[in-house]
Structure formats: structure tokens, C-alpha cells
Amino acid sequence: MSYFDAASAAPLHPVARQALQASFDEGWADPARLYREGRRARLLLDAAREAAAEAVGCRPDELAFTTSGTRAVHSGIEGALAGRRRVGDHLIVSAVEHSSVLHSADAHEASGGAVTRVQVERTGRVSPSSYAGALVPGTALACLQSANHEVGTEQPVAEVAQMCREAGVPLLVDAAQSLGWGRVEGDWSLLAASAHKWGGPSGVGLLVVRKGVRFAPQGPADERESGRAAGFENIPAIVAAAASLRAVHAEAAAEAVRLRELTERIRARVPALVPDVEVVGDAVRRLPGIVTFSCLYVDGETLLHELDRAGFSVSSGSSCTSSTLTPSHVLKAMGVLSEGNVRVSLPPGADEEDVDRFLSVLPGVVSGVREKLGAPTAVSKVPASVDALVVDALGRRCPIPVIELAKVIGDVPVGGTVRVLSDDEAARLDIPAWCEMRGQEYVGEEPADHGSAYVVRRLS
């Protein structure tokens, strides 16, 4: 079995496993106690904090260990907003942030706060100028991920951080996907990350709050972790997380070169091997191990099951939304095709032969899924007899509305239109994406008795 979903959780690093086992004997006691066992536990905790701080590029007393990356994000946003409540209640996030950030933004808005969601380019990257435009009097906090978890696009953190600094606004960086590859550059103010993303154990997150940032921890007061993370520290897991972070940083430069070559091979060969595919995300400014593509006329869930049967563990869209019937919020914000979406995220040490085997298996798997769904193989050559058609795809889920559109587009003359009736949320994204891929004109969305009508004009 080839595991290609490291963006969800990287396999436990050998150094993490060794550190975890070694610290079980010394790190079980309460590090707040003054007796021998407590002092031993405290030494382990302090050493782990120093190692993690060095890897992040911060002071040890600026870093707190949390129970997860999500908890670090929630605590960081809540604490920063509370600390700056006299300044205002305006929060800035990008539209492609991890769901933990967006859920915090939703909660803040529901409680009466103001939120600006900055849109992104088709590559998934924000424009620094768009963040500058969102910085207004009363802005308490801005958030920006260092790299996207679904498509791997790296964000201009340093430029945005500089703009925020000049405006006197702290910037919180979600560095979960990128921290294993190195430090986050720029004059950021807060940072959150998660150990299971770089090969550490699950259940350990990092929250960094720079000195001078106004921060008011929320919830009942607790003496642990500077009051920023309540509860007894899981010292063996923390030690393993810090040890593995140092280890992956030492290996990062060489491994990044190797994984970039493999993902570039996938980016180049998938469109050549499989027709009607869109590779998404920035082609240059991206993480080494992530490549994402979407296949027309394919149900992503079925495609994942078929690839699993073929021996490949991959993801479809966001790991936080793949079990729902709505399109990934990241792909939606980018305006790219969502149906048949596959995210390949290679773990360190991924085998070149496994990548080549994936490329050899993929065309047959996609073809098989398309055949089962009745996807078209070519545009109809029947002479067009009507100027407008209506396709009733109500009650039918992705990718059926697009498949039915593709079957009949050749039945109208150039300049003719097809109205697709659909109540599937994915159609709102996938029909315009299909038009762009196939050189047709997306006229727009119209209200209908049930669902919506998506109007397409044939151009060729």
C-alpha cells in the first residue's frame, strides 16, 4: 500500500518513535512538582520547548504546547482578539484558510464581531494588496496560512506581515503544513502548528505569541503553559514532537528537492495520461510534496475508493470536508473544478517506483469510473436542430449535472444555449469550470422553481 496523504497526517518519524519510548520512563510525573521525578519531567519539558523554539525561530517563553493544532488556532485567535478588544473587533482571514481558522471567524462573527474574508487568485494565492485593503481602523487581528493544506500553494506571509506591522495589526500564521519544511519567514506575531503534520505524534500543537503582542487567554485560568493551554502536559508526546521537528528540518533541504521532482512528474504527466484534467494550485510557489488535480466526469468518492483498491491512499479536497456533499471551500474560493478531485501528498521517503506505479494505474481507474457514470467520450456530431435545450439534473449529484451538459452541448448550434437545472451545490462551481476547460461560455445562474438554472452558450 502506498500512503500518499501526508498532508492529513505524516507517518510517525523514527526519531519521534525513539523519543516517545525513551521519555515514557522519565516524563510521567508532574513537571510542576519539586521532587526528583517532577524535576526530571520539567527538564524534559524545558528541553523540548527550547528545541521547538529554535526550530520555529522564537524565544522559548513565547511558545506553548497545546493539545492540537486546531486548539492552538482557536486559542490564538480568541486570545489575540480579546487582548485587542479596545482597538476593535475586526478580523481578517483568507478564504482558503484551514477550517479551524474559518470556524473561529464564524464564531467571532456570530458573537457580534466583524470579519473580512480576503479572496484568492485562481492559484489559491492571496494578493498582498488585498490584505492591505482589508486593514482598516478597528482591525484587531489578521490571519494567513503559510501554505495551503489542499493545493500546496505558498502564501506571501512576509509581505503581508510587513503590511500588518506597519498598520499596527498582529498577524497569526497557521503554519501547520509548512513548518516541517522550515521556519516561516516574516515579522509575524502569532503562529500555530500541529505535530502530526511533520511526523510527530498526534495530540500536540504549538502556539507562539511574540513578546509585545497583547494577548488575553480565554476560558478558566490555568497555571500550565503560561495560561495558554490548560491541562496536564503530555510530556512524552511533546518530547517526541520537538525531536521529530528538529529531525525533519535537518533532512528538509535534500528531501524537498527529491519530492519536488516527483510532484512535478505527476503535474506534467497526469494531464498527458488522462483527458479532461485540471491541475490546480500554484505551479512554482508551492510545498514540495503536494500536487492536486481534478478530473471531469468523475465522482471523487468513487475515485478514491478505486485508488484505494489499487493500493494508493490519497485524499479528495480538504480532509475536513471530504465526507460532506458540498464542494471544498478552498477549491470553491479558487474557482477551479471540484469534481473528481485528488490530492496527492507525498511523505518524506516516498518511493519513486510507487509514484510511477500510481501514474500507470490512474488512467485506467479514471476511465473505469467515467464509464460507469456514462460520461461522454466526444461531442455529438448530430446536426443541431434547436437553439436551446434544458437538462433536468435535479436530485442528481456531482458529477452527473456536468456529464449531462457535456452530452448535449453538441445538440445546439454555435451560439445556442443549454440550461442545466440542478440542486447540487457542486454544480455552481463545476459548470463554470467545465466551460473554461472546454472553451464554452458560462452565461450565469438563474433562479428556478427548484434549485438553480445554470446557462451555458456553445462557442465551438
Side-chain angles (χ1 to χ4, degrees):
M1 193 74 181
S2 300
Y3 182 75
F4 288 173
D5 195 23
S8 292
L12 194 65
H13 195 283
V15 169
R17 182 176 287 104
Q18 294 170 3
L20 193 63
Q21 293 173 342
S23 58
F24 277 138
D25 292 334
E26 298 291 333
W28 54 268
D30 187 346
R33 303 308 175 192
L34 299 179
Y35 43 70
R36 181 182 295 114
E37 294 83 357
R39 294 197 304 272
R40 288 175 181 169
R42 169 56 63 181
L43 287 174
L44 287 174
L45 181 59
D46 289 346
R49 196 184 314 279
E50 290 177 4
E54 181 182 4
V56 171
C58 66
R59 293 170 40 153
D61 58 353
E62 295 175 329
L63 186 149
F65 292 108
T66 66
T67 54
S68 68
T70 295
R71 184 67 263 170
V73 165
H74 291 173
S75 298
I77 292 176
E78 291 169 358
L81 288 173
R84 287 174 50 82
R85 58 185 176 274
R86 293 184 180 178
V87 174
D89 63 0
H90 180 226
L91 171 66
I92 303 173
V93 300
S94 84
V96 295
E97 294 296 313
H98 187 269
S99 58
S100 60
V101 174
L102 298 183
H103 291 162
S104 287
D106 291 343
H108 178 60
E109 196 169 41
S111 65
V115 178
T116 296
R117 297 169 178 84
V118 177
Q119 297 305 306
V120 297
E121 301 165 354
R122 192 172 175 83
T123 61
R125 196 169 191 264
V126 303
S127 166
S129 61
S130 62
Y131 261 77
L135 291 166
V136 297
T139 300
L141 178 67
C143 300
L144 179 63
Q145 59 190 193
S146 54
N148 187 260
H149 48 291
E150 290 192 37
V151 300
T153 297
E154 294 178 326
Q155 300 291 359
V157 171
E159 297 97 314
V160 171
Q162 180 62 32
M163 293 174 177
C164 289
R165 180 67 63 180
E166 292 172 356
V169 175
L171 176 68
L172 183 149
V173 178
D174 173 13
Q177 285 299 334
S178 75
L179 189 59
W181 295 107
R183 294 179 177 179
V184 177
E185 300 300 325
D187 196 10
W188 46 266
S189 301
L190 302 97
L191 180 143
S194 186
H196 74 275
K197 300 290 189 179
W198 66 69
S202 59
V204 179
L206 303 181
L207 173 60
V208 179
V209 182
R210 296 283 200 190
K211 292 296 182 184
V213 175
R214 292 187 177 275
F215 191 86
Q218 299 302 284
D222 193 282
E223 69 276 8
R224 309 260 177 190
E225 295 301 302
S226 303
R228 295 171 184 165
F232 197 97
E233 298 93 342
N234 185 346
I235 294 177
I238 287 172
V239 169
S244 58
L245 183 57
R246 292 185 63 177
V248 297
H249 275 199
E251 304 160 354
E255 191 61 15
V257 172
R258 199 179 71 84
L259 291 188
R260 282 191 189 281
E261 192 281 327
L262 292 178
T263 53
E264 189 58 41
R265 186 181 307 181
I266 297 172
R267 288 182 65 88
R269 291 183 60 186
V270 165
L273 294 169
V274 182
D276 297 317
V277 165
E278 180 179 14
V279 180
V280 300
D282 198 295
V284 177
R285 294 169 295 195
R286 59 186 174 87
L287 291 176
I290 298 179
V291 56
T292 304
F293 56 89
S294 299
C295 308
L296 273 174
Y297 319 132
V298 172
D299 170 22
E301 201 74 13
T302 301
L303 181 56
L304 259 62
H305 286 310
E306 293 300 320
L307 287 171
D308 182 54
R309 291 176 60 187
F312 297 98
S313 302
V314 298
S315 178
S316 180
S318 170
S319 58
C320 300
T321 60
S322 61
S323 61
T324 73
L325 294 176
T326 58
S328 149
H329 72 275
V330 171
L331 301 178
K332 185 175 182 180
M334 293 168 62
V336 298
L337 184 69
S338 70
E339 67 184 52
N341 178 258
V342 175
R343 180 187 66 183
V344 176
S345 49
L346 305 177
D351 196 285
E352 181 178 357
E353 286 72 21
D354 286 344
V355 170
D356 287 338
R357 189 168 66 87
F358 173 79
L359 290 170
S360 68
V361 166
L362 181 68
V365 170
V366 173
S367 177
V369 174
R370 285 173 172 168
E371 184 177 353
K372 291 178 181 178
L373 291 171
T377 56
V379 174
S380 171
K381 300 300 182 181
V382 177
S385 58
V386 293
D387 291 333
L389 285 176
V390 176
V391 173
D392 187 349
L394 292 170
R396 309 183 73 183
R397 299 302 175 198
C398 168
I400 301 302
V402 175
I403 288 177
E404 295 302 315
L405 167 62
K407 285 181 177 179
V408 304
I409 190 68
D411 294 343
V412 298
V414 172
T417 60
V418 177
R419 297 174 78 247
V420 182
L421 303 179
S422 176
D423 52 4
D424 180 19
E425 180 67 23
R428 182 170 284 113
L429 178 62
D430 290 343
I431 289 177
W434 178 88
C435 291
E436 181 162 336
M437 292 177 68
R438 303 309 296 265
Q440 309 300 344
E441 179 187 356
Y442 178 63
V443 178
E445 179 181 349
E446 298 177 352
D449 291 340
H450 300 285
S452 297
Y454 301 95
V455 184
V456 176
R457 178 175 288 112
R458 183 181 177 187
L459 299 182
S460 60

